[in-house]
Every structure is written in C-alpha cells, then in structure tokens.
Amino acid sequence: MTRILILDYGMGNLRSVEKAFERVGAEVSIASDAARASRADGLVLPGVGAFPRAMERVTELGLDRLLSERLDAGTPVLGICLGFELLFESSDELGGAEGLGLLAGEVSGLDAPGLKVPHIGWEPVRWRVASELTEGIDEGTPFYFVHGFAPRPGDPGDVLGVAEHGTSFVCAVARPPLYGFQFHPEKSSAAGLRLLSNFVRVCAEVLV
Amino acid sequence: MALRRVIPCLDIDSGRVVKGTNFVGLRDAGDPVELAERYDAEGADELVFLDIGASHEGRETITELARRTADNVFIPFVIGGGIRSVADAQAVLDAGADKVSVNSSALARPALISELAEVFGSQCVVVAIDARRRSTGSSASRPGPAGSVAASASPPCDAPPGYFGESLEFDVYVNGGRALVPEREAVAWAREATERGAGEVLLTSMDRDGTTDGYDLELTRAVADAVTVPVIASGGAGELTHLVDAIAEGGADAVLCASIFHYREYTVAEAKRTLAEAGIEVRR
C-alpha cells in the first residue's frame, strides 16, 4: 500500500485531507519528523492560514530542508492551498515573507476588480499541459477554492492548470516530482478524489 | 466568479435526520451521513446540517456527526444550530466542518460574529436569518399566492414594492419562526451581520418555508442588494424553476432546498440541469 505522509506544522485541520487519501486507498499518517518522511512514498504539505506564520512554523520544524532532501531523492510532494503557495519564493501577504523557493515566482493578492476576495467556491479549471496527475479529469472540471492569494510562477513550464476570478490565475503546478493545487481536492467531490488517487499512483510508480 | 451552488439542507435532532426521511434504497433513512453521501454523489455543491435540537448535551452528538461526515463526504459542509461560542465552533471545525452557521446566538450577542470571524476567518462564518414580511396595514406588502405581491386595491397594478413610496420590510424570527425578535429588520440585520464579519447569509423566508410556492424573491433581492457577500436563498422551493428564479431574479448566489430533495421529487442532478438550461453556470 502506498504510504502518504501529511506534514503537520500546526496550520489548519488535516482531517479532511487524511480521510480523502484514505478513501483513495492510501496508507496515511500525519507527522512532521524526518524519519517518518523518509519512509513515505509521497509527502503532502497542506495548510490554512497566513503565509508568514506558516513559513515560521515550517522552518522551525525543519520541513524546508526535509522537503528539499525528499525531492532530491525523487519522492513526490504535493502542496495544497497555503501549502501550494509556500512552494514559491515569496509572498506579499501581511507584510511579506520568504517561501520555500522550490518553484520560481511570487505569491500575491488576487487581482479581481469588482469581485469578492477571498475567492470562495467552485471554479472550472483548465489544464495547460497533459499530466499523469490530471488523467481522467475533463478540461473545465470545477474544483473548490478558498483563497485570497495566488502565485505568479517564474517558469511557465511549471503551470499545470489555470482558473479565473476576474483575471486568470495559476491554480495547479507540476514540476515532477513536485506538484501543487491552490484548490482543495479533498473538498472537490469525485474529481478531487481522482486527482488525489492519481497522485497516489504517481507515488507508487516512483516506488517501483 | 464562483459557480452558483445547489445546497441540500438536513435538519438534525440527536444526530438523526428529522424530516424528509421517506427514502427508498437507504439502509438507514434517518442517518444524515448516508444521505449526505448520496447528495455528494448526485452533485450537491455543499451541505448544510441544522441541529434543530441544539441542546447543550447534544453538542458532542453534532461534533460526532461533523466527524463522520468529514470521513465520508468530500464536499464543503456547514454546521448550524447551537453554536454559541468560539469553542462551540472550534469543535465542529476541528471535526472537519468547513463553516458554522449562527442565528439566534448572533441576535442575542452580535459580537459573536466578529469573534468567530477573527479566529476562523469570514469564510467560515454564515449568518442564518429567518425573515417574515412585516404587516403594514393596507400596504401591498403581503405575499400573494403565486409569488407576486398581492394586488390589493391600492396600488391597483403590479408595481414593484417601493414604487409608491412604501418600503418593504421584514421582521426577524427565531425558534423556527415562533418568536419575533423585537427592534430588528431583516435586511438591516443582514447588512450589520456582514459588517461584523459574516462571510455569507443564509436567508430563509418564513412566509414561504414549507409552502412550495417558491422563494421570496423580493426578500432575496433586497438582501442580495444590501450585502457584498454571497446570499443563500431558502424557504419555499417546490419546483426547479423556483431555483432559477432565486438566482436570476432574486440575485442569490446559492439555493438551499430540503423537502424537494428529501422526498425525491427531484434529484440534485435534475436541479443542476434546470439551472444550466436557464443559462446559469453550475458544476455538473
């Protein structure tokens, strides 16, 4: 059984993510230590809250080094929502902070003139490239978003999917073995579970 | 702009669904989680669980319901009823709920709204309002049978409310519509609640609730125009075209239904199809 480790750094409730991975047949645990991470076939960086505080917690726990090491070893990593934003170099949220820098680009507030921010609800996602992560998921499938910020990736080749809220923004990235979603697959019904199931399969393939 | 949502609502007492339980094909008709799973499979965008018992001893039961729902249902869901404090909200959010809904506790102590918004963010805080048209003597503010304002002797036409200067006002009720909240007007309360940090308004017409005559479109429109957050229309859906009207005419961002889905008159998928055919963008 594919072992998925959800990294816990004290930002937000991890229960829904855990249960969604269980539903797609993964063996899930929640922890933040290197020993557990080295045994996992895939790592998930979730998170809800503000970017600066999250990065403080991530560095306090040494998750920045741990993620770099695991990626170098070829372990797939998936960032979700705030965990997705943390993958980039920096964010301007609440005075700004440095990010993990695993992907080029900055995170900034959504540019949505006349629309509500945070952007909450179901939004269609258009895929920019073919990926094993999006296999079986139609172009324009809606996913569930709750966010006020979005990244501007420095490398267009990293962009996996885009959505619109006033203007177009990047909501999914893939730079194998690193992946990230701005939306919540664990709250996006069957399509979200399919994405997670695809990620688990990617983790299993790396394992072989 | 997020897609318009269709939201089934489940009334819960002591952890069980208390109305609309005549289902076919369920192992346990009163189990909210089993019903929630079915709605997820049919394409529901979100779910609302209203704990109508909401006694203090029932808190653990509703938290357990949130936990079991989060284990089995992978769409956002709201828990309402009996949330009186940050600690009450924390318990159900930790269990996996995405939002809490407050009604009488927010009316009793409006600061609760800002306390919840500060701790959890506005996106977690829904204010539920039960509104009823205010009787204003001879003015044409009583609901007519088919959703229009009754054409009384004056004005002798179907002029919109406010056209002749009379303003359309709504009282606020609690306890399932049994108790009037004095000195409160529903549209003004909706505005105040969102200024205090509510991220969404769940607006129920007590005049229409249970009638199948359709949502109160004027009430919905009045609140949608008064606030900058999404409005969920509730109360009175009997036909799928009512859902279209609430969004297209009432300006609602979402429609909440209970009996038409519970009694299997329509499925969520049929509701989505009707909305899409009317040109409203929904998830299908």
Side-chain angles (χ1 to χ4, degrees), chain A residues 88-127:
Chain A
F88 292 87
E89 291 168 288
S90 66
S91 168
D92 63 6
E93 185 174 7
L94 296 177
E98 298 281 301
L100 290 165
L102 298 169
L103 295 171
E106 294 81 43
V107 175
S108 54
L110 279 173
D111 178 27
L115 292 178
K116 292 156 198 168
V117 174
H119 169 225
I120 303 168
W122 295 87
E123 206 69 67
V125 171
R126 286 171 289 128
W127 308 117

Side-chain angles (χ1 to χ4, degrees), chain B residues 119-138:
Chain B
V119 175
F120 306 111
S122 286
Q123 81 285 347
C124 275
V125 186
V126 181
V127 164
I129 301 175
D130 293 343
R132 194 187 292 276
R133 283 170 184 252
R134 201 165 266 183
S135 20
T136 51
S138 61

Side-chain angles (χ1 to χ4, degrees), chain B residues 2-67:
Chain B
L3 301 176
R4 305 299 172 152
R5 289 165 290 157
V6 175
I7 307 176
C9 178
L10 288 77
D11 285 349
I12 307 295
D13 193 6
S14 306
R16 311 285 294 170
V17 180
V18 290
K19 73 177 179 191
T21 55
N22 61 339
F23 286 88
V24 184
L26 288 183
R27 285 188 304 278
D28 177 356
D31 179 25
V33 178
E34 200 173 336
L35 193 45
E37 285 182 83
R38 168 184 278 183
Y39 287 142
D40 179 0
E42 283 183 4
D45 297 304
E46 196 164 324
L47 297 167
V48 171
F49 295 93
L50 284 182
D51 184 16
I52 60 167
S55 59
H56 270 297
E57 53 274 26
R59 299 310 309 157
E60 186 44 45
T61 314
I62 198 78
T63 303
E64 179 55 28
L65 170 63
R67 204 173 286 128

Side-chain angles (χ1 to χ4, degrees), chain B residues 1-282:
Chain B
M1 185 81 179
L3 301 176
R4 305 299 172 152
R5 289 165 290 157
V6 175
I7 307 176
C9 178
L10 288 77
D11 285 349
I12 307 295
D13 193 6
S14 306
R16 311 285 294 170
V17 180
V18 290
K19 73 177 179 191
T21 55
N22 61 339
F23 286 88
V24 184
L26 288 183
R27 285 188 304 278
D28 177 356
D31 179 25
V33 178
E34 200 173 336
L35 193 45
E37 285 182 83
R38 168 184 278 183
Y39 287 142
D40 179 0
E42 283 183 4
D45 297 304
E46 196 164 324
L47 297 167
V48 171
F49 295 93
L50 284 182
D51 184 16
I52 60 167
S55 59
H56 270 297
E57 53 274 26
R59 299 310 309 157
E60 186 44 45
T61 314
I62 198 78
T63 303
E64 179 55 28
L65 170 63
R67 204 173 286 128
R68 286 208 302 126
T69 303
D71 290 354
N72 294 289
V73 178
F74 299 97
I75 53 175
F77 67 96
V78 185
I79 297 271
I83 307 276
R84 297 179 181 88
S85 64
V86 166
D88 288 342
Q90 185 87 57
V92 293
L93 293 171
D94 281 350
D98 298 89
K99 311 174 187 179
V100 293
S101 167
V102 289
N103 188 337
S104 54
S105 55
L107 284 159
R109 198 172 66 81
L112 174 64
I113 299 169
S114 42
E115 290 168 16
L116 293 171
E118 274 162 31
V119 175
F120 306 111
S122 286
Q123 81 285 347
C124 275
V125 186
V126 181
V127 164
I129 301 175
D130 293 343
R132 194 187 292 276
R133 283 170 184 252
R134 201 165 266 183
S135 20
T136 51
S138 61
S139 87
S141 64
R142 289 222 166 255
S148 61
V149 169
S152 62
S154 172
C157 64
D158 52 2
Y163 188 85
F164 292 99
E166 84 274 30
S167 65
L168 192 59
E169 292 187 327
F170 300 87
D171 285 318
V172 179
Y173 278 75
V174 290
N175 293 343
R178 289 187 293 274
L180 171 75
V181 180
E183 319 268 316
R184 280 287 182 194
E185 196 284 319
V187 180
W189 170 232
R191 195 183 293 118
E192 180 186 332
T194 58
E195 283 165 1
R196 287 178 179 273
E200 206 160 13
V201 176
L202 166 47
L203 179 67
T204 302
S205 164
M206 300 312 291
D207 298 301
R208 294 300 176 82
D209 202 29
T211 65
T212 72
D213 288 342
Y215 298 96
D216 187 333
L217 301 182
E218 286 162 357
L219 168 67
T220 308
R221 175 50 74 183
V223 172
D225 286 348
V227 302
T228 57
V229 304
V231 173
I232 306 168
S234 160
E239 303 291 334
L240 294 182
T241 53
H242 293 153
L243 279 54
V244 174
D245 295 343
I247 292 168
E249 292 179 41
D253 296 86
V255 283
L256 184 129
C257 307
S259 52
I260 65 165
F261 294 147
H262 293 336
Y263 294 105
R264 305 221 77 190
E265 286 162 33
Y266 302 102
T267 64
V268 178
E270 287 168 340
K272 292 289 191 73
R273 191 182 316 130
T274 303
L275 290 169
E277 283 168 4
I280 294 166
E281 288 192 59
V282 291

